[in-house]
Amino acid sequence: MVNAIWIFMLVVGFIAAAAQGRIEAVTEAVFDGAKTGVTVSFGLISVMVFWLGMMRIAEDAGLLKSLAKLLGPVVRYLFPDVPRNHPALGFIMSNMSANLLGLGNAATPMGIRAMQELQKLNPDKSTATPAMCTLLAINTSSITLIPTTLIAIRMNFDSANPAEIVGTTLLATMVATIAAIAADRWYRSRTKSPPHTQHHESNSVPAGQ
């Protein structure tokens, strides 16, 4: 659907430019956009390589394990329906650790692996479990201590102070995470049925029999 919208907008833009005799403006904008995209990508690659290297060093030094231990009680609270020693919890903690450092691209593979492990616990493969919904909400709104990617983009565009967004980003992501957890808890409480309900209904006898 999104791709169809983009294609439609491009076609409309070309038609409008052709009608006004300004095709050269469209061509210039296309090449300028491609140039900017390549420039930003190279800037992001350098920053991402640096932070991924730092993550690897932290992993080899055991710092990520220590961070995972700190996140352990939080993860067990957020995902009470996942078995304590299940592999999904490890991937979830790695995903949260990467998001804390603003490494969205590094967090994505861990999030995908966590979803795959949670799907193995899913009795209904066509419907997301509460744990899967929780992971999606947390991954989307995750608290970010260092917005690495945004800082890299601001550096590429010659920002006078690329790191000045750290405080506001931390505040915004904290509010977003609190809202996501509150919404998740609310929906969990609404969808949770008493343990005896299903058993009672299955053993009930219709009236008149």
Side-chain angles (χ1 to χ4, degrees), residues 89-111:
L89 294 179
F91 291 119
I92 290 171
M93 286 187 282
S94 297
N95 172 267
M96 293 177 66
S97 300
N99 276 325
L100 283 172
L101 297 176
L103 301 174
N105 292 337
T108 299
M110 295 297 101

Side-chain angles (χ1 to χ4, degrees), residues 34-115:
K35 180 180 178 181
T36 302
V38 172
T39 303
V40 172
S41 296
F42 274 112
L44 289 177
I45 288 173
S46 61
V47 175
M48 290 299 298
V49 168
F50 170 77
W51 280 106
L52 287 175
M54 294 294 291
M55 287 279 288
R56 184 58 183 270
I57 294 173
E59 181 180 2
D60 293 341
L63 295 178
L64 288 185
K65 289 184 178 180
S66 300
L67 181 58
K69 289 182 180 179
L70 291 175
L71 294 175
V74 177
V75 171
R76 286 192 292 272
Y77 167 75
L78 294 174
F79 301 89
D81 43 352
V82 179
R84 188 180 184 88
N85 295 320
H86 196 273
L89 294 179
F91 291 119
I92 290 171
M93 286 187 282
S94 297
N95 172 267
M96 293 177 66
S97 300
N99 276 325
L100 283 172
L101 297 176
L103 301 174
N105 292 337
T108 299
M110 295 297 101
I112 293 174
R113 291 294 304 274
M115 282 292 188

Side-chain angles (χ1 to χ4, degrees), residues 96-175:
M96 293 177 66
S97 300
N99 276 325
L100 283 172
L101 297 176
L103 301 174
N105 292 337
T108 299
M110 295 297 101
I112 293 174
R113 291 294 304 274
M115 282 292 188
Q116 291 173 342
E117 292 295 332
L118 292 175
Q119 180 70 349
K120 295 178 182 179
L121 298 172
N122 190 357
D124 183 3
K125 304 302 182 183
S126 62
T127 304
T129 62
M132 297 171 77
C133 295
T134 301
L135 175 59
L136 181 61
I138 295 299
N139 181 71
T140 303
S141 63
S142 177
I143 295 176
T144 304
L145 300 178
I146 306 174
T148 307
T149 304
L150 290 178
I151 291 175
I153 293 174
R154 289 169 61 86
M155 289 174 61
N156 282 326
F157 286 97
D158 299 324
S159 172
N161 188 2
E164 67 180 352
I165 60 171
V166 171
T168 53
T169 300
L170 177 60
L171 178 60
T173 53
M174 285 180 61
V175 172

